């Protein structure tokens, strides 16, 4: 599955997750979490080989337009409607090291806030040229990039008048299954961010700020597309210096 | 004092009800972007080992099947090797991915994987763990992906010496990690909450 590289893969266990930084499971302001949250404590164990390993995907899975949501569902010669943007950034670990060769998947609503999904009933129109998904694999420095249209805000049946801020969902693989992460990216300056019960599941304002992508004027392409920069941090790995060896003790 | 200089992990958010758009677009009728949905096939004709089916449901605190989840599994091959660059003990079966992804059905909430029974892999101290499959579950209403493990009911001896199962203080909960077997089909229902709540892991 993996591409060949010359560097020896790191095999240490991951830093313990700071679960006070992440949203807790039970967050009644987000109603669906009430019946979908475990009530018993999680069973903790330091990473075993079952978690410090994980799938790695080669570039062969990628199609030419996989990171171009403006065109990857559009009819020939046409394109998605909306504010054209580039979203790019780096996948790093907690030690600040780039995480190369990992799959990043993203999905979103169209410019009007409508998802292409049969369970979705919002009255805003479907864009016939917009599917809403894409993927990329990080390069040697951990960079990924895609272009898309900025998604619209979206109402949802939680409170009487709850609206999601404009957001793009991200799914990230690291090098170990314990690094697996799904999150959401928000946009700088959106006043909806601070009203959202899903954003509000995160207890720490500084953690919320970590999900807000700034406008990246430097990478904005004149007369074409603005840019937003969104860096993602995965769990770091311990050095293996003092680990018991799995074999060969 | 010096700063220790670590970054904070990006906080998790729910995958939401439309997670299928991103992870399994063909399943939700967005065709033509990817040839196939990633993770729908783990084996081929040459895969070594005993073929098994793993299926189950995710049940909420009211016992209602969760029909909008996505389940991913990760496991060793039949010889107990992981198909991962971090696997230092040998080379895993090239005809087995070790990783699968399946949505729970919008009709009946069932997920299903065609895979092989994994071999035993070592714990950190060299003891052998019992054969197991790691599951990761995301859905609307789940703020951070849930990790758990499925063990095999026909491996009682190995399960009895498994280091993870041994750490479960409330012994009546060990059974929540052990699948039911009918022929080559293993059924593993995950209870998110309540009396039968599955043991979830902080790994």
């Amino acid at each position: 599955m993996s591409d060949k590289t010359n560097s020896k893969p790191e095999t240490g266990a991951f830093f313990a997750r700071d679960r006070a930084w992440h949203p807790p499971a039970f967050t009644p302001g987000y109603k669906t979490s009430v019946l979908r949250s475990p009530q018993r404590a999680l069973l903790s164990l330091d990473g075993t080989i079952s978690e410090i390993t994980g799938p790695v995907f080669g570039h062969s899975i990628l199609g030419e337009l996989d990171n171009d949501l403006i065109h990857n569902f559009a009819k020939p010669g046409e394109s998605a409607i909306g504010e054209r943007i580039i979203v790019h950034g780096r996948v790093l670990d907690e030690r600040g090291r780039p995480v190369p060769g990992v799959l990043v998947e993203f999905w979103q609503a169209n410019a009007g806030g409508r998802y292409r999904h049969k369970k979705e009933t919002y009255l805003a129109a479907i864009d016939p040229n917009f599917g809403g998904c894409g993927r990329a694999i990080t390069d040697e420095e951990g960079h990924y990039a895609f272009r898309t249209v900025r998604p619209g805000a979206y109402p949802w049946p939680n409170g009487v008048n709850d609206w999601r801020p404009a957001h793009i969902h991200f799914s990230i693989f690291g090098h170990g299954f314990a690094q697996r992460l799904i999150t959401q990216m928000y946009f700088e300056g959106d006043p909806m961010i601070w009203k959202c019960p899903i954003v509000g599941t995160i207890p720490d304002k500084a953690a919320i700020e970590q999900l807000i992508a700034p406008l990246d004027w430097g990478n904005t392409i004149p007369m074409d597309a603005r840019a937003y920069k969104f860096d993602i941090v995965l769990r770091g790995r311990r050095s293996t210096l003092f680990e018991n060896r799995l074999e060969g003790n | 004092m010096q700063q220790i200089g670590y970054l904070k992990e990006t906080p998790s958010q729910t995958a939401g009800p439309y997670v299928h758009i991103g992870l399994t677009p063909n399943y939700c009728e967005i065709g033509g972007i990817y040839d196939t949905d990633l993770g729908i096939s783990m084996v081929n004709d040459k895969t070594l080992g005993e073929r098994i089916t793993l299926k189950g449901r995710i049940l909420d605190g009211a016992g209602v099947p969760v029909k909008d989840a996505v389940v991913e599994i990760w496991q060793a091959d039949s010889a107990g090797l992981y198909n991962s660059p971090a696997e230092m003990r040998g080379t895993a079966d090239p005809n087995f991915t070790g990783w699968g992804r399946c949505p729970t059905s919008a009709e009946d909430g069932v997920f299903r994987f065609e895979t092989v029974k994994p071999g035993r892999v070592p714990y950190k101290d060299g003891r052998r763990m019992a054969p197991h499959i790691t599951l990761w579950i995301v859905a609307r209403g789940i703020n951070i992906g849930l990790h758990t493990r499925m063990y095999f009911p026909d491996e009682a001896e190995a399960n009895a010496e498994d280091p993870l199962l041994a750490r479960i203080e409330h012994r009546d909960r060990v059974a929540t990690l052990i699948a039911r077997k009918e022929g080559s089909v293993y059924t593993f229902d995950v209870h998110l909450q309540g009396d039968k709540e599955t043991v979830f892991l902080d790994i």
Side-chain angles (χ1 to χ4, degrees):
Chain A
M1 285 173 101
S2 64
D3 287 349
K4 292 264 185 278
T5 69
N6 291 325
S7 56
K8 190 174 171 225
E10 294 191 294
T11 56
F14 294 102
F15 295 171
R17 212 161 222 166
D18 180 355
R19 289 184 179 267
W21 184 254
H22 289 282
F26 177 73
T27 50
Y30 174 25
K31 293 182 180 180
T32 314
S33 76
V34 171
L35 283 177
R36 295 186 173 191
S37 46
Q39 294 171 323
R40 309 290 287 262
L42 302 179
L43 177 67
S44 298
L45 79 162
D46 193 26
T48 75
I49 193 165
S50 305
E51 295 84 31
I52 64 180
T53 56
V56 172
F57 303 91
H59 289 269
S60 60
I61 68 164
L62 299 181
E64 198 179 343
L65 294 177
D66 278 8
N67 68 343
D68 183 355
L69 281 68
I70 293 177
H71 295 104
N72 70 8
F73 195 75
K75 289 184 270 298
E78 299 187 20
S79 59
I81 290 173
E83 297 179 41
R84 296 160 62 92
I85 59 170
I86 290 163
V87 178
H88 75 107
R90 297 176 76 195
V91 179
L92 305 166
D93 74 10
E94 289 170 291
R95 292 184 298 172
R97 296 184 177 208
V99 189
V102 296
L103 180 66
V104 182
E105 299 164 292
F106 20 86
W107 68 100
Q108 62 170 88
N110 70 21
R114 176 73 187 263
Y115 284 95
R116 184 177 285 278
H117 193 287
K118 59 187 165 189
K119 284 188 67 184
E120 147 81 285
T121 54
Y122 183 32
L123 47 77
I126 287 275
D127 178 346
N129 289 309
F130 187 74
C133 67
R135 60 188 178 185
I137 291 178
T138 58
D139 69 13
E140 285 303 305
E141 269 74 52
H143 286 285
Y144 73 91
F146 61 98
R147 63 174 171 171
T148 184
V149 294
R150 179 173 163 137
Y154 166 79
W156 58 301
N158 185 64
V160 172
N161 189 23
D162 280 336
W163 290 70
R164 298 302 323 283
H167 64 280
I168 299 176
H169 298 264
F170 277 72
S171 163
I172 309 102
F173 288 81
H175 293 151
F177 205 51
Q179 285 176 302
R180 199 75 184 80
L181 182 71
I182 280 183
T183 189
Q184 300 182 29
M185 182 199 107
Y186 305 102
F187 292 83
E188 178 188 355
D190 187 345
M192 309 280 294
I193 293 170
W194 307 103
K195 297 178 183 295
C196 174
I198 288 178
V199 174
T201 61
I202 300 174
D204 190 323
K205 185 168 185 292
I208 294 171
E209 295 280 357
Q210 198 175 353
L211 298 182
I212 303 175
L215 179 64
D216 177 3
W217 205 245
N219 276 297
T220 288
I221 303 173
M223 306 301 288
D224 184 345
R226 287 174 303 154
Y228 285 86
K229 185 164 192 289
F230 186 58
D231 287 344
I232 296 157
V233 180
L234 301 180
R235 297 168 69 178
R237 305 189 92 117
R238 288 204 305 270
S239 156
T240 53
L241 286 175
F242 301 103
E243 298 280 338
N244 286 329
R245 293 291 168 196
L246 292 167
E247 288 195 341
N249 277 335
Chain B
M1 190 167 67
Q2 295 187 352
Q3 297 293 310
I4 203 150
Y6 293 137
L7 303 175
K8 293 299 288 185
E9 188 186 7
T10 297
S12 175
Q13 291 268 262
T14 179
Y18 308 127
V19 56
H20 316 100
I21 294 173
L23 303 192
T24 57
N26 292 288
Y27 167 80
C28 70
E29 297 165 17
I30 300 175
I33 299 182
Y34 308 149
D35 292 341
T36 59
D37 289 337
L38 213 54
I40 55 168
S41 173
M42 301 174 68
V43 296
N44 63 36
D45 293 345
K46 297 179 194 149
T47 306
L48 303 173
E50 178 189 342
R51 299 300 176 99
I52 63 167
T53 299
L54 163 58
K55 71 177 180 71
R57 296 175 301 166
I58 314 295
L59 301 148
D60 72 12
V64 173
V66 173
K67 296 178 178 176
D68 53 12
V70 170
V71 179
E72 292 184 6
I73 64 171
W74 175 240
Q75 63 165 100
D77 67 11
S78 60
L81 293 168
Y82 282 99
N83 191 342
S84 165
E87 172 62 85
M88 295 288 116
R89 298 169 300 141
T91 303
D93 181 353
N95 293 300
F96 181 62
T97 68
W99 176 78
R101 171 187 276 172
C102 186
T104 56
S105 156
E107 282 74 47
D108 58 10
V110 173
F111 64 85
R112 179 184 296 269
F113 296 95
E114 303 302 327
T115 182
V116 296
K117 190 170 180 183
R120 295 180 73 169
V121 300
Y123 191 59
K124 292 169 291 181
D125 58 10
R127 281 183 291 166
R128 290 194 304 161
M129 294 192 275
H132 62 272
I133 294 175
T134 300
L135 290 86
W136 186 70
I137 299 153
V138 293
R140 174 173 67 101
I142 296 177
N143 290 326
I144 181 165
L146 295 167
H147 283 278
T148 188
R149 280 187 187 181
M150 186 216 101
Y151 286 83
F152 292 82
D154 45 354
E155 294 283 348
E157 202 173 312
N159 291 342
E161 60 188 31
D162 182 81
L164 182 145
L165 294 178
R167 286 191 56 168
I168 299 173
E169 182 183 358
H170 300 99
R171 299 309 294 165
D172 58 335
R173 301 194 70 209
V174 171
T176 69
L177 299 187
I178 298 174
R180 286 182 285 119
K181 181 181 192 321
E182 291 154 284
S184 64
V185 178
Y186 293 85
T187 302
F188 186 62
D189 285 339
V190 174
H191 295 264
L192 296 176
Q193 192 186 85
D195 292 345
K196 292 185 274 186
E197 185 174 309
T198 300
V199 173
F200 296 104
L201 307 173
D202 184 14
I203 52 176

